[in-house]
Amino acid sequence: MSWEQYPKKILAKYRIVFNKCSPFGNFRYLCIVRIIAKKTLREFWIKHSDCEEQLKSWHKEAIEAFWNSPQDIKNDYPSASFLQDNRVVFNIKGNKYRLIVKINYDFAMIWIRFIGTHAEYDKINASTI
């Protein structure tokens, strides 16, 4: 079955992203955006209930996003900061909290590396965490 034959409802349910072409030629392929360790976000918003809606919103936007480069993220989140090794720092709830993720653009994978208060963020090395 080609990708054009998949119903849009199924594609939306499984958060399937179509990349424009594969690295091996001019054909389309399916790629499901995955966020590793949503549990980390959930545990954090249980302790810090004031950021629950913002983290849920970020998670929903991230799994529906078409981030193929840092510029795509910058277009969606102008205040995001970019570190070495494809790490991105997002400001949550007006910079009260910081979320660090590591992104593999080729495989549409996002790993939660850190979530904490701004004070906790200042105590870590964001480039290596």
Side-chain angles (χ1 to χ4, degrees):
M1 176 183 280
S2 73
W3 66 270
E4 291 99 347
Q5 296 169 323
Y6 283 95
K8 288 183 180 181
K9 190 174 185 179
I10 291 174
L11 297 177
K13 179 180 178 184
Y14 293 104
R15 310 286 192 245
I16 297 174
V17 175
F18 293 107
N19 287 330
K20 293 180 182 173
C21 65
S22 83
F24 305 108
N26 290 329
F27 59 91
R28 294 182 183 257
Y29 63 100
L30 297 176
C31 185
I32 299 172
V33 177
R34 293 197 54 207
I35 297 180
I36 308 299
K38 180 181 178 183
K39 179 181 176 185
T40 304
L41 296 178
R42 192 177 311 114
E43 289 171 351
F44 189 80
W45 78 54
I46 288 170
K47 291 179 189 173
H48 304 273
S49 59
D50 62 327
C51 67
E52 179 177 358
E53 289 305 313
Q54 289 85 356
L55 288 173
K56 285 180 177 178
S57 176
W58 176 88
H59 183 268
K60 183 178 186 300
E61 291 170 15
I63 60 177
E64 294 174 352
F66 295 94
W67 293 338
N68 293 313
S69 69
Q71 186 59 49
D72 294 335
I73 296 172
K74 201 65 165 169
N75 293 341
D76 291 344
Y77 292 93
S79 66
S81 302
F82 298 90
L83 308 174
Q84 64 188 18
D85 199 26
N86 289 329
R87 293 172 194 267
V88 183
V89 180
F90 293 95
N91 298 320
I92 305 294
K93 195 165 171 42
N95 206 17
K96 184 176 180 181
Y97 302 104
R98 292 282 181 96
L99 171 65
I100 302 175
V101 301
K102 183 174 180 175
I103 300 177
N104 183 319
Y105 296 101
D106 294 332
F107 294 100
M109 302 278 294
I110 301 173
W111 289 271
I112 306 294
R113 304 300 298 155
F114 171 84
I115 177 74
T117 64
H118 197 90
E120 292 168 338
Y121 172 83
D122 290 338
K123 295 177 184 175
I124 63 161
N125 183 348
S127 299
T128 60
I129 196 164

